[in-house]
Amino acid sequence: MGVYTFVCRSSGEEWTAKQLKGDLEASAATPYELQRRLVAAASAADSAAGVQSSFAMVTPSSAVFQVIIGAVGGGAAIGGAAAGGAAAGGAAAEAPKAEEKKEEEKEESEDDLGFSLFD
């Protein structure tokens, strides 16, 4: 798994990006095209399957773009590793809720005495 973080800047009509720790670079006319080129460059540098990316504007003329190669899971990795941990924790938090619901249903069935007040 490889994580590639880029600092992106706009200088008039062109967006440029340089890898934070490495030598990958790209430039394009639009942020979208720049993202596509950076994903292609990162994919060429790392042969693992699966790609996730996150683009965050810092100012109107600068942004941070992160590409994660070999990522497993769904959704975008907004916020980097912290978001991945939160997503995994969120799924784990949903499971106890389902168990609590089953316990509540069981408690209600124990109160059932087999007759109704309106019989």
Side-chain angles (χ1 to χ4, degrees), residues 96-109:
K97 289 181 184 178
E99 291 176 13
E100 289 176 17
K101 217 174 226 187
K102 289 179 184 178
E103 288 177 16
E104 289 176 13
E105 290 175 13
K106 187 176 181 181
E107 289 174 13
E108 290 175 356
S109 65

Side-chain angles (χ1 to χ4, degrees), residues 3-88:
V3 178
Y4 301 85
T5 304
F6 299 92
V7 176
C8 308
R9 291 195 170 91
S10 172
S11 58
E13 295 184 19
E14 183 180 54
W15 280 85
T16 59
K18 293 184 179 181
Q19 188 178 1
L20 192 60
K21 293 182 180 177
D23 57 351
L24 294 179
E25 295 183 9
S27 62
T30 65
Y32 177 74
E33 184 61 33
L34 181 64
Q35 292 172 48
R36 292 183 58 162
R37 290 181 182 180
L38 292 172
V39 167
S43 295
D46 193 329
S47 61
V51 176
Q52 288 184 346
S53 64
S54 171
F55 185 83
M57 295 293 290
V58 177
T59 68
S61 62
S62 66
V64 175
F65 184 58
Q66 190 172 51
V67 180
I68 303 170
I69 306 290
V72 178
I78 299 171

